[in-house]
Amino acid sequence: MTPTSLAAALAQNFKSNKAAVLRSAVCAVFLSLVLVTVFSLRAIPENSNAVYDDTELNLAKVELLDRFGSRLDLNFETRWNLYDRRRLEEYPEILKQAFVASEDRRFWDHRGVDWQARLASLWAFLRTGRLYRGASTLTEQVVRILHPRPRTVWSRWLETFEAYQLEQRWDKLSILEFYLNQVPYGSERRGVVQATNLLFDRDIDTLNPSECLALAVLVRAPSHLALERNRAALNRRVFELANHLNLKEVVAPVIHGGDSSNGIQAPDFVRQVRARIEKNRAGLNLRVGEGVTTTLHGGLQKLSHHLLQLRLAEVQEQKVEEAAVLVVDVLNGDILAYTTAGPTDYDMIRRPRQPGSTMKPFLYALALEKGWTPAQVLIDEPLSTAVGRGLHSVRNYSRTHYGPITLRSALGNSLNVPAVKTAKYVGTGMLLQRLKTLGITSLHESADHYGEGLALGSGEVSLFELVQAYTV
């Protein structure tokens, strides 16, 4: 073989080897991509109900209602919208049409991915250099809700495969229903029902066509388009969507705001109820999304909170910052209002504190049982009584002594000296036992520890215990 022919043979062999290496490299890269894709895909639930069924039941997901069915507490910082869901047939027809027309016009025809829309978006990007929204199908958006990821090219690649999987497991109606119930809006709201309450202060059953179209338009940029300065852009898009749907009688939507779904604020009461549910959850057949009806009266709760705020404002100069109200139905013990106000994190209804003269009615009730009458005469005079190892001078709030006075007047004017004399008559031990019988359990010390001062509120009890005793 001549040198020339040898060189040609070596060159041909090199080219063949180079092509083989290149093919091997391409195959390796492709296989690696396939493997990475397969291991990056996430499981798609068997159906939309499985999303909620698999949700672990915990106390944060048990909805608490007042006696009339209004919510006691709302927390929108949750993974799913569990309580404001509707079946697809409960949504207005025009609203469903608006969402499909706005978000995915070929929703009923594609199998998860709209390649026509993707190619159009790619062509627009190549022409202008700008990335346009609109190629994501409703199915892909549901995938994004199920499996949140950073908005990257790789995420879009994975969403393509998961969208196909989703369409194989869920039917189109289930996909649309899940989307309408879970699509994120601004202010941590999820789903069309919560958005309707937030933006229009009404329920979906009362929406007019313009508002239905606005909800479909707002889903793309709710925080931006809902602002007053951007209403012109919102109205323009609403009218464009109306033209596409061939709707003639459409007016500019009016966003009211306010959120009629705002719950009744009773955080301390809610904590107590949730603790009770946790303690007895084995005997409560609770399911995710179900509500638990309590005895609270929403109107009284709001009124008591308003009155507390007014009262605290009145006594601000006296450095009073905390207050509490407990309203109970004395016939059955139902708690109707459970309200606290102030900067503290303590539940002031349950926190023991000295109750002052509120002990006196129980004291005089014992005296009446022992034979006294409302006309019993007591001498209101300067008095010193033993407290521990020393003496304590007992005085009335008015710093005045009134001499002979009836039991009725002593109680009606909340005088201290007659109360201490009455405590000596009935016995502190008997008073302490009576208070415990009435449900006051925070008085742990002996009768000698409290002395006659127990009649004046020297022992600490909670407002909850005190109200329970007064119901008797």
Side-chain angles (χ1 to χ4, degrees):
M1 179 179 292
T2 64
T4 302
S5 59
L6 177 61
L10 291 173
Q12 183 64 33
N13 185 54
F14 176 76
K15 289 179 180 180
S16 299
N17 290 337
K18 183 179 180 181
V21 170
L22 184 59
R23 284 195 300 271
S24 299
V26 170
C27 289
V29 170
F30 178 74
L31 288 174
S32 299
L33 179 61
V34 170
L35 288 173
V36 172
T37 300
V38 169
F39 284 106
S40 298
L41 296 177
R42 300 178 185 175
I44 298 294
E46 289 293 336
N47 51 59
S48 56
N49 289 329
V51 176
Y52 309 117
D53 293 341
D54 291 341
T55 304
E56 181 184 357
L57 176 64
N58 59 53
L59 296 180
K61 297 183 177 108
V62 176
E63 186 181 36
L64 300 183
L65 310 172
D66 82 337
R67 58 176 51 222
F68 305 114
S70 298
R71 292 180 179 177
L72 295 185
D73 62 332
L74 287 180
N75 179 13
F76 295 107
E77 299 177 2
T78 54
R79 177 73 172 87
W80 302 113
N81 165 26
L82 294 174
Y83 306 117
D84 294 314
R85 291 182 284 152
R86 296 289 187 276
R87 294 190 302 272
L88 186 61
E89 58 268 24
E90 294 177 314
Y91 283 102
E93 193 62 33
I94 183 62
L95 185 139
K96 292 181 282 190
Q97 294 175 7
F99 270 90
V100 172
S102 177
E103 293 297 300
D104 188 357
R105 296 183 181 182
R106 283 175 286 275
F107 172 69
W108 302 108
D109 301 320
H110 63 66
R111 296 184 178 180
V113 179
D114 187 349
W115 289 107
Q116 183 177 339
R118 280 201 180 185
L119 291 174
S121 179
L122 177 61
W123 176 245
F125 172 71
L126 294 175
R127 284 189 298 108
T128 64
R130 294 175 56 193
L131 209 57
Y132 290 87
R133 179 190 168 120
S136 291
T137 64
L138 288 176
T139 309
E140 291 174 301
Q141 292 185 51
V142 169
V143 166
R144 202 171 298 138
I145 294 171
L146 291 171
H147 301 151
R149 295 183 176 98
R151 301 296 295 273
T152 63
V153 175
W154 178 248
S155 296
R156 294 285 284 125
W157 169 262
L158 296 177
E159 288 166 4
T160 301
F161 294 93
E162 291 179 355
Y164 280 122
Q165 289 181 343
L166 184 63
E167 293 255 353
Q168 290 173 359
R169 296 194 170 194
W170 299 13
D171 58 68
K172 291 283 189 180
L173 297 178
S174 297
I175 292 173
L176 181 58
E177 178 182 296
F178 184 86
Y179 176 84
L180 293 175
N181 284 325
Q182 301 299 335
V183 61
Y185 277 87
S187 303
E188 299 177 334
R189 301 307 197 271
R190 285 188 173 273
V192 174
V193 174
Q194 289 185 358
T196 302
N197 286 319
L198 175 67
L199 299 169
F200 300 113
D201 201 21
R202 300 211 310 280
D203 193 65
I204 59 171
D205 299 326
T206 65
L207 292 176
N208 61 43
S210 301
E211 292 163 339
C212 289
L213 300 186
L215 286 167
V217 169
L218 282 163
V219 76
R220 296 194 175 191
S223 300
H224 176 72
L225 292 175
L227 296 176
E228 185 67 38
R229 65 174 181 269
N230 297 323
R231 295 294 169 81
L234 171 63
N235 295 339
R236 183 178 68 254
R237 296 186 188 184
V238 166
F239 289 124
E240 289 174 354
L241 184 56
N243 290 333
H244 175 75
L245 294 172
N246 200 26
L247 296 175
K248 304 303 181 184
E249 298 180 4
V250 173
V251 298
V254 179
I255 297 178
H256 303 286
D259 199 347
S260 61
S261 69
N262 276 341
I264 301 152
Q265 300 304 310
D268 292 318
F269 178 77
V270 166
R271 278 193 290 270
Q272 293 294 332
V273 174
R274 294 203 185 286
R276 183 70 61 87
I277 292 174
E278 175 64 25
K279 184 178 180 180
N280 301 284
R281 67 185 306 166
L284 299 173
N285 188 23
L286 296 177
R287 292 183 297 177
V288 173
E290 285 189 340
V292 174
T293 301
T294 68
T295 63
L296 209 73
H297 188 299
L300 283 177
Q301 180 70 16
K302 291 181 179 180
L303 176 62
S304 63
H305 185 268
H306 175 67
L307 294 176
L308 276 187
Q309 298 296 339
L310 291 178
R311 183 58 180 156
L312 284 176
E314 292 173 355
V315 296
Q316 187 175 11
E317 292 184 357
Q318 283 107 311
K319 307 298 182 182
V320 178
E321 297 181 333
E322 302 167 356
V325 168
L326 180 63
V327 181
V328 171
D329 186 334
V330 297
L331 297 180
N332 53 29
D334 286 352
I335 295 176
L336 304 178
Y338 193 107
T339 314
T340 60
T344 181
D345 292 330
Y346 291 107
D347 181 349
M348 290 175 287
I349 291 176
R350 298 273 184 169
R351 188 181 186 184
R353 60 190 306 161
Q354 290 190 348
S357 294
T358 57
M359 294 288 101
K360 291 173 182 174
F362 307 119
L363 169 69
Y364 287 116
L366 277 174
L368 294 175
E369 290 180 14
K370 289 193 66 174
W372 283 8
T373 69
Q376 176 73 36
V377 175
L378 300 165
I379 306 300
D380 182 20
E381 58 187 351
L383 176 67
S384 295
T385 186
V387 176
R389 295 182 179 179
L391 290 176
H392 173 70
S393 296
V394 181
R395 294 176 296 185
N396 297 318
Y397 184 78
S398 63
R399 303 299 178 102
T400 301
H401 296 288
Y402 301 95
I405 194 168
T406 64
L407 182 153
R408 179 187 290 108
S409 296
L411 173 59
N413 291 279
S414 190
L415 300 179
N416 291 337
V417 172
V420 171
K421 289 186 175 182
T422 305
K424 292 179 180 292
Y425 168 67
V426 302
T428 306
M430 182 175 289
L431 176 60
L432 180 60
Q433 183 58 46
R434 172 56 56 87
L435 294 176
K436 291 182 177 180
T437 302
L438 294 173
I440 295 178
T441 61
S442 56
L443 296 172
H444 304 296
E445 305 297 336
S446 65
D448 291 338
H449 173 83
Y450 297 113
E452 284 84 16
L454 184 62
L456 306 180
S458 62
E460 293 188 340
V461 303
S462 69
L463 178 58
F464 186 86
E465 294 172 313
L466 188 61
V467 171
Q468 181 173 275
Y470 263 82
T471 63
V472 177

